[in-house]
Amino acid sequence: MIELAFPWALLLLPAPWLVWRFLPPYRRASPGLRVPFFRDLTDAAGAPARTGAVVLRRRRLQMLAAMLVWTLLVAVLARPERVGDPVELSKSARDLVLAIDISGSMDERDFRAGDGPAQQRLAAVTDIVGRFVEAREGDRVALIVFGSRAFMQTPFTEDLASVGALLESTEVGMAGPHTALGDAIGLAIRAFETSEVDEKLLILLSDGADTASRMSPVNAAEIAAQAGIEIYTIGIGDPEGADEAKLDLDALKDIASRARGQFFFAEDATALDAIYARIDRIAPAKAETIRYRPREPLGGGLLGLALVVLLLATAALLAARRLGARPARSEEASA
């Protein structure tokens, strides 16, 4: 289907006729020779003199070419476009950051799934979070891992397979042995600065207490709340542990409450799986559908056609003028 983006340009089509009909013809003064006996010459020639202007007559080819070129130029101004079939695109309506603790305590093998053998904490988390990521079709997801320092593994992306692959490649201690909860939240805030959507969600998982942050987790949560970021915190591990291995439930609860989120605690892999399933129900993946029709401009072809017509008409007129100016051959009288 072909549409005109600016159909009002078609009103220019009668402009040349209106100019010819209502405006006075162009006048130009030409030098002349005064002849004292001019009247005698005109009488002898049988061509009486009269005042007026000489209007050049245009050939039919000139008129047809001018009309066609003008029509094509007006059509170009009307911006014809070939409109294709409707296309639907899905755009993320929520940005999600997953912050995963990979400190030294995540190497503990005390996580069980039902009656199965005990698993390493990070291995169990990687498996469950990987399935959670696969189900987030429609969200842009970023991955942060933290230990003594927080690092951005993947910026916001809709390529969930890459996020899952990088999550599986993480190992305990890659970011240092300690826990920096506040720095992880601060890095998430910086990541959200480039976000253009209204819904921003951070899911923070940790099994210890903050021991290495340069920014207090509580202050970081306050800043996140002011930036419109919602934080869900998940605690795993032992609340009765010693030193850095002790899970700080109060800090995780405080972070969630200050950032308008929720706190969850998982004693084993089954509970952690249920928590991520619950989060998926509370904050399901969101996507906005954008519908549009592709448009292909056709003005370039019409402009090229107008140029071809103009060149051909000019060439034809020049050839006709040369043929008309060629003197006729005089036949020699035979002796």
Side-chain angles (χ1 to χ4, degrees), residues 242-255:
D243 300 328
E244 294 186 5
K246 179 180 179 180
L247 176 63
D248 192 348
L249 295 178
D250 293 335
L252 295 178
K253 291 178 182 178
D254 198 10
I255 291 171

Side-chain angles (χ1 to χ4, degrees), residues 39 83 100 122 134 142 151 211 244 251 257 281 300 303 329 333:
R39 183 68 61 180
V83 182
I100 307 296
L122 182 59
E134 290 178 1
F151 297 95
T211 56
E244 294 186 5
S257 64
R281 292 192 300 270
L303 190 60
R329 288 186 175 180

